[in-house]
Amino acid sequence: MSRLAALLQLNRPLVMGILNITPDSFSDGGRFLETESALIHARQMLEDGADIIDIGGESTRPGAQQVTEDEEINRILPVVQALRKEFDVAISLDTSKAAVMNAAIPEDIDLINDVRALQERGTLEVVAASQLPVCLMHMKGEPRNMQEAPHYDNLVQEVAEFFRERIRACEQAGIKRERLILDIGFGFGKTPDHNLTLLNRLSDFGGFEMPLLVGLSRKSTIGKIVDDRLTGSLSGGLAAVSRGARLLRVHDVAETVAALKVWRSIEQEQVMV
Ligand code: 8Y7
């Protein structure tokens, strides 16, 4: 069985630790320090109990600059290779580009996490040719413009319709439903109220019978509610798992693992450590 399938069988919420590979301003083109600091961060998240490491080389923050595919490959590949060599951990690749997927898939990764839900040229084909699971995230617009007055006539219905359309596209390309994970895309082309509505209504997406992933860690909507984004993210994360989220994408792994232990202990009506 695949690493991710084995994790999902555990029947507890999974923690995906965020590993952003950001350009290192000190090493002029050399990748050594950049890779080393990413590995240090990954080792810490694994020690803290992360189930999955989500490696990304493109910033999708609102208004972020685009990255070329060569640049993105050069950022992520050394980290993917070193992490795979050192650990038997589940590795998720956060990318929307077919070339980046193609470069990383031979390195024994476990999941494609695509905020553009396989809408970029060539990505459906690349994922279909692999046997990998993929997370389809909803986004309205593009990172550079998605926060400019996002509007929905019926938010939950429109997100569900997007999922139906992308699931159909995946199935037509030969990607079976069993390989799909869905994500409402907290913060991607949504106002704070949109984000809160989708989170509150998360169980409405249970009918797809696919694992649901939620990423709200340290996001601005959380910061609008409370100053302390860690406390806010932990609270939001527990609300998400109570509404059916199976995976949480987070920065603060140790704290999330601890919060989930309390949540699970309540669910199981016994102390779960
Ligand atoms: C999400 C994500 C980001 C999310 C999934 C950030 C890459 C922005 N957010 N992937 N990526 N879901 N699946 O603030 O919510 O972490 S980047």
Side-chain angles (χ1 to χ4, degrees), residues 75-210:
R75 280 186 196 172
I76 62 99
L77 204 58
V79 179
V80 169
Q81 290 169 333
L83 200 58
R84 172 50 70 237
K85 201 167 155 200
E86 193 172 348
F87 299 101
D88 191 38
V89 61
I91 297 175
S92 163
L93 178 67
D94 157 20
T95 192
S96 299
K97 297 189 183 78
V100 181
M101 296 175 188
N102 254 327
I105 287 171
E107 307 298 335
D108 191 20
I109 61 173
D110 299 280
L111 172 68
I112 302 291
N113 174 28
D114 184 4
V115 299
R116 294 181 183 80
L118 305 184
Q119 294 178 98
E120 293 292 299
R121 184 193 306 278
T123 55
L124 278 169
E125 292 79 1
V126 171
V127 172
S130 77
Q131 280 311 310
L132 289 181
V134 56
C135 178
L136 304 173
M137 196 196 77
H138 175 269
M139 166 162 51
K140 190 175 169 102
E142 266 291 305
R144 90 191 121 68
N145 64 14
M146 65 186 178
Q147 292 312 105
E148 294 166 11
H151 171 81
Y152 299 82
D153 291 320
N154 189 321
L155 175 62
V156 174
Q157 239 174 267
E158 288 175 40
V159 173
E161 183 50 36
F162 174 84
F163 287 151
R164 278 190 288 275
E165 189 272 318
R166 296 318 298 155
I167 292 166
R168 203 178 315 127
C170 284
E171 289 188 309
Q172 270 169 16
I175 304 168
K176 291 215 167 73
R177 299 175 72 87
E178 293 76 41
R179 287 164 64 186
L180 304 179
I181 294 171
L182 302 178
D183 186 337
I184 56 169
F186 193 98
F188 287 85
K190 287 143 193 133
T191 63
D193 288 4
H194 291 146
N195 291 322
L196 297 168
T197 299
L198 284 170
L199 193 57
N200 189 38
R201 307 284 169 81
L202 194 69
S203 50
D204 290 9
F205 300 99
F208 286 102
E209 297 191 335
M210 292 172 187

Side-chain angles (χ1 to χ4, degrees), residues 18 54 60-61 94 113 115 135 137 183 185-186 188 213-217 219 249 251:
I18 301 170
D54 187 42
T60 38
R61 300 174 75 92
D94 157 20
N113 174 28
V115 299
C135 178
M137 196 196 77
D183 186 337
F186 193 98
F188 287 85
L213 186 154
V214 169
L216 51 75
S217 182
K219 286 184 178 174
R249 181 180 178 277
H251 300 88

